[in-house]
């Protein structure tokens, strides 16, 4: 990910690329075993555009994203603020933030749920090093081994041939 709005996510297994998602500031591209799709508008485009924004939560107002505090719920035995988030196009999600730490611990959206844990400091920023997310009928666990911040990443990284 690179500011202002570049995003690339690759899923690999056994050295083989299973899927890629790219947002280059103008278009969203999804490449999978089912083929290649490009979007310049619509729900998929809007979702990837939001995903490409660094520090999305602090930019909600500028992006036309609305939020509402719905109350406190218990998530895995911990009290958490439940926030309803409404994106342009009326897509909704629910984010849960631990009342003790203010860290995001869970997101529920139309694609499923994502759980964030094992926060560690990286150059003064707390980053979840464990993310569990639903992918169809499966639960994927991702562990962050390394994160680099402000490394001068070249824009050419955000191109899918």
């Amino acid at each position: 990910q690179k500011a202002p709005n570049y995003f690339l996510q690759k899923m690999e297994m056994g050295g083989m690329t299973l899927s890629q998602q790219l947002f280059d500031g103008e278009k969203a591209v999804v490449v999978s075993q089912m083929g290649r799709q490009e979007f310049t508008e619509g729900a998929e485009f809007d979702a990837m555009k939001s995903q490409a924004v660094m520090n999305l939560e602090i930019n909600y107002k500028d992006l036309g994203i609305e939020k509402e505090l719905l109350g406190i719920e218990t998530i895995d035995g911990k009290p958490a603020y439940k926030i309803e988030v409404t994106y342009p196009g009326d897509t909704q999600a629910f984010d849960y933030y631990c009342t003790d730490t203010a860290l995001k611990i869970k997101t529920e959206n139309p694609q499923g749920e994502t759980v964030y844990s094992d926060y560690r400091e990286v150059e003064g920023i707390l980053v979840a090093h464990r993310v569990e997310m639903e992918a169809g009928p499966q639960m994927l666990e991702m562990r962050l081994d390394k994160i680099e911040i402000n490394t001068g990443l070249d824009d050419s990284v955000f191109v899918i041939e």
Side-chain angles (χ1 to χ4, degrees), residues 59-76:
N59 290 294
Y60 277 171
K61 185 176 180 180
D62 295 338
L63 298 169
I65 299 170
E66 298 177 11
K67 64 213 171 289
E68 180 180 351
L69 175 62
L70 298 180
I72 296 177
E73 289 191 12
T74 301
I75 305 295
D76 293 329

Side-chain angles (χ1 to χ4, degrees), residues 1-120:
Q1 190 172 11
K2 181 178 177 179
N5 56 0
Y6 290 107
F7 175 81
L8 175 65
Q9 180 177 347
K10 289 183 183 182
M11 186 176 296
E12 297 177 338
M13 185 180 293
M16 184 173 149
T17 300
L18 301 177
S19 67
Q20 295 183 69
Q21 294 181 342
L22 166 81
F23 188 84
D24 67 2
E26 297 178 14
K27 69 180 177 295
V29 180
V30 177
V31 179
S32 70
Q33 295 171 341
M34 303 296 285
R36 177 187 174 113
Q37 296 177 292
E38 288 191 24
F39 305 94
T40 55
E41 59 184 23
E44 293 89 351
F45 176 82
D46 291 339
M48 288 182 66
K49 181 178 179 180
S50 292
Q51 195 172 10
V53 175
M54 296 286 247
N55 306 311
L56 180 64
E57 286 86 354
I58 63 173
N59 290 294
Y60 277 171
K61 185 176 180 180
D62 295 338
L63 298 169
I65 299 170
E66 298 177 11
K67 64 213 171 289
E68 180 180 351
L69 175 62
L70 298 180
I72 296 177
E73 289 191 12
T74 301
I75 305 295
D76 293 329
K78 299 175 187 172
Y81 297 110
K82 181 178 183 178
I83 309 288
E84 179 181 51
V85 183
T86 305
Y87 296 90
D90 292 327
T91 302
Q92 291 182 321
F94 298 97
D95 287 336
Y96 297 85
Y97 295 86
C98 178
T99 60
D100 292 337
T101 64
L103 296 172
K104 186 188 294 188
I105 56 175
K106 182 177 176 181
T107 296
E108 295 172 342
N109 61 37
Q111 291 77 39
E113 77 177 37
T114 303
V115 177
Y116 308 92
S117 61
D118 190 18
Y119 278 88
R120 297 182 212 163

